[in-house]
Amino acid sequence: MEREQVLENILECRRQLRQAGGGDVEICAVTKTQSAQTANWAWEAGLTRVGENRVQELLQKLPALNPHFQVDFIGQLQTNKVKYIVDQVSRVQSLDRMALALELDRRCRAAGKVMDCLVQVNIAREPQKAGLAEEELPAFLAAAALLPGIRIRGLMAVMPLTRDPESLRPYFRRMRLWFDRLRREAPEGVAMECLSMGMSGDYLVAAQEGATLVRLGSAIFGAR
Ligand SMILES: *Cc1c(COP(=O)(O)O)cnc(C)c1O
């Protein structure tokens, strides 16, 4: 895709978000499969955060990526790969199990840093998808709050694949209810600030239901 088109797509997503009442929703540009050069066009349009879902691809892309980007890891993360990204990303959105929390904590403490994390929630309970079940959240947050190498900053929802985004509205709404409840009841050390939900096909519904961050790949860069 051409640079002009990418810039125009980002403006259009912003317009649509504003119309849906989500004018202050942040856009994370999902740059998987895109070159660093293409990803950097998102910076020109004012986006400051990119999301990548594969460790190797991320490491290959980083040297040419605009160094001012905040880089979020958004894919399934094997514990044996944590060491490669600890110094490279500013946040892990896909914290989906305690073993990963423990390894992030261990590696970050060794590196003298604290990793911001979002807890991934499998709100539709799809067996093939990673992420916590909603009722596991309070206990998980209580345990994660005790790990000084990570800091929980919110939730990331994964949703069923569908052509009908309206059918996801109850799941988005449920995520927002959990987000608000956990914000009120958050253990010390947990900051419920970010609710990452909505992708290219469903981000307007997600914004209407209270997302604070949407993750947009194809809506910005075209079909992969
Ligand atoms: C690929 C991906 C996205 C973006 O998907 P699009 O439909 O292209 O917007 C968002 N979140 C995660 C976790 C992804 O892997």
Side-chain angles (χ1 to χ4, degrees):
M1 190 166 282
E2 296 298 320
R3 173 176 169 279
E4 311 300 324
Q5 185 65 57
V6 167
L7 299 187
E8 175 51 38
N9 288 347
I10 292 171
L11 285 178
E12 180 59 22
C13 289
R14 280 244 176 77
R15 260 195 299 274
Q16 299 265 344
L17 276 171
R18 247 191 333 269
Q19 267 177 21
D24 51 4
V25 173
E26 188 188 352
I27 298 173
C28 172
V30 175
T31 47
K32 62 190 186 196
T33 77
Q34 307 298 333
S35 69
Q37 183 199 29
T38 298
N40 290 343
W41 294 336
W43 181 271
E44 295 181 45
L47 301 191
T48 58
R49 191 183 296 280
V50 294
E52 286 281 339
N53 72 334
R54 288 185 198 283
V55 171
Q56 197 181 358
E57 182 184 342
L58 166 67
L59 297 178
Q60 283 169 351
K61 206 173 293 184
L62 269 175
L65 201 63
N66 184 319
H68 300 300
F69 270 126
Q70 308 260 84
V71 178
D72 280 18
F73 195 81
I74 61 170
Q76 201 150 17
L77 182 54
Q78 293 172 261
T79 48
N80 63 2
K81 301 241 172 99
V82 166
K83 56 179 176 284
Y84 301 118
I85 66 154
V86 156
D87 288 321
Q88 311 297 336
V89 305
S90 50
R91 188 163 70 177
V92 173
Q93 289 200 19
S94 45
L95 176 56
D96 60 0
R97 61 199 192 279
M98 192 43 68
L100 179 57
L102 292 169
E103 178 64 6
L104 278 165
D105 174 58
R106 189 170 77 88
R107 293 283 179 180
C108 287
R109 277 188 292 119
K113 69 177 285 185
V114 180
M115 182 69 77
D116 287 339
C117 295
L118 306 183
V119 178
Q120 180 175 329
V121 184
N122 181 0
I123 191 68
R125 299 175 182 281
E126 294 175 280
Q128 74 279 17
K129 282 216 176 91
L132 272 71
E134 53 192 300
E135 69 276 9
E136 296 174 320
L137 281 168
F140 187 87
L141 290 185
L146 303 175
L147 304 175
I150 66 173
R151 184 162 169 88
I152 306 295
R153 298 234 175 233
L155 306 176
M156 174 177 90
V158 289
M159 291 284 159
L161 262 183
T162 172
R163 286 168 192 282
D164 172 23
E166 200 52 50
S167 70
L168 301 176
R169 189 179 293 278
Y171 292 128
F172 289 128
R173 188 163 297 178
R174 232 176 143 68
M175 283 298 307
R176 180 69 203 206
L177 286 172
W178 274 104
F179 180 68
D180 289 337
R181 174 180 155 190
L182 294 168
R183 193 158 42 171
R184 287 192 305 271
E185 300 170 3
E188 178 130 358
V190 167
M192 276 288 145
E193 300 162 347
C194 179
L195 180 56
S196 169
M197 61 182 189
M199 315 195 332
S200 294
D202 55 24
Y203 70 101
L204 294 177
V205 179
Q208 286 164 355
E209 295 301 331
T212 70
L213 180 100
V214 294
R215 308 182 304 270
L216 303 184
S218 52
I220 294 176
F221 302 110
R224 284 182 296 275

